[in-house]
Amino acid sequence: MPLHQIMYISSATGAMTAQQCAGIAAASAVRNRAEDVTGLLLFNSRRFLQVLEGPKEAVERVYARIAKDGRHGALVKLRETAIETREFGAWDMAYDDAARPSDSLKDKVAALLEQAGPSTRAHFVGSAEMHRG
Ligand SMILES: Cc1cc2nc3c(=O)[nH]c(=O)nc-3n(C[C@H](O)[C@H](O)[C@H](O)COP(=O)(O)O)c2cc1C
């Protein structure tokens, strides 16, 4: 099964704390692991950016499930592509206001945002911490 990657952005529909987001990420990590899906979930108190990587069918299934979740909306797929290796080996997440991302995560995020172009960077304009390191 070829490896697949989906990257999307979305907006929280209501107030969401970093703690609630951490809860989503923890539950997601368990479920995703069972499907061999890994990735990254970023949250900057209003918006999400998530990368899902794994077997194509599993990634599409997980994305379809996430897209129906009423806790966020206005999903925009930024990238959907076949990949040869996972860009984000382990599940992780970062906040602009809590648990600081590790340097290596920050580097990967910076690289990803660069690749994604100015509109994605603008999407995360509120989280300078992640951009500037
Ligand atoms: C921003 C965001 C990201 C999410 N990411 C995942 C994820 O990667 N994997 C996952 O299983 N659920 C994720 N969820 C939760 C799912 O949307 C859903 O609530 C969960 O999979 C339970 O689905 P079910 O109620 O259909 O069983 C995410 C939710 C949000 C709001």
Side-chain angles (χ1 to χ4, degrees):
M1 174 83 66
L3 279 176
H4 198 65
Q5 183 190 75
I6 290 178
M7 175 169 110
Y8 75 89
I9 49 176
S10 64
S11 300
T13 42
M16 189 176 288
T17 64
Q19 213 168 8
Q20 285 171 310
C21 188
I24 292 175
S28 299
V30 173
R31 285 167 152 270
N32 291 359
R33 208 171 294 133
E35 305 219 46
D36 196 24
V37 170
T38 52
L40 172 77
L41 178 62
L42 302 181
F43 178 60
N44 75 354
S45 80
R46 284 172 306 144
R47 287 158 170 159
F48 298 100
L49 185 155
Q50 186 168 29
V51 180
L52 299 165
E53 297 178 335
K56 192 167 194 280
E57 276 174 25
V59 167
E60 284 170 350
R61 192 164 49 236
V62 170
Y63 179 77
R65 201 164 65 211
I66 295 168
K68 286 188 287 187
D69 196 318
R71 291 173 290 185
H72 65 164
L75 278 73
V76 178
K77 249 190 227 175
L78 297 176
R79 235 158 33 123
E80 170 149 32
T81 182
I83 49 172
E84 290 195 3
T85 56
R86 293 174 197 248
E87 288 181 58
F88 296 89
W91 187 268
D92 214 335
M93 69 180 303
Y95 311 99
D96 61 346
D97 58 352
R100 282 156 187 258
S102 71
D103 285 345
S104 79
L105 174 62
K106 253 192 279 186
D107 290 347
K108 285 179 184 176
V109 170
L112 179 66
L113 289 177
E114 216 149 87
Q115 227 177 319
S119 69
T120 306
R121 284 200 296 279
H123 201 79
F124 274 81
V125 84
S127 55
E129 166 79 30
M130 278 191 285
H131 299 178
R132 301 204 186 103

